Amino acid sequence: MGIRWRKSSFSEMGDNCLEIAASWGEVLVRESDDPRVVLSTTPAALRALLVVVANEKFGRSA
């Protein structure tokens, strides 16, 4: 079975969105319009990034 890519329900229709997948303890991220380029990270690192982004968006300090 291959990697199961998912995109947010908030993504626009078409090929302009970020996709995410889990594989062997890593989180994989790719842009749907160029699926050959895949970034990998750990769940903890992605979680930390999302906290920083959310804090910046809502004007909170971490």
Side-chain angles (χ1 to χ4, degrees):
M1 185 171 167
I3 295 172
R4 183 175 170 189
W5 291 97
R6 299 186 64 184
K7 67 178 178 177
S8 170
S9 59
F10 293 104
S11 294
E12 296 176 11
M13 299 299 284
D15 291 335
N16 189 17
C17 63
L18 208 63
E19 297 177 319
I20 193 166
S23 177
W24 297 98
E26 290 185 315
V27 178
L28 307 176
V29 181
R30 71 181 183 183
E31 180 68 31
S32 60
D33 63 352
D34 191 3
R36 296 168 295 154
V37 177
V38 177
L39 302 175
S40 66
T41 188
T42 64
L46 181 58
R47 190 175 310 109
L49 173 66
L50 295 175
V51 166
V52 169
V53 170
N55 287 337
E56 288 293 320
K57 180 177 181 180
F58 297 112
R60 295 178 274 189
S61 59

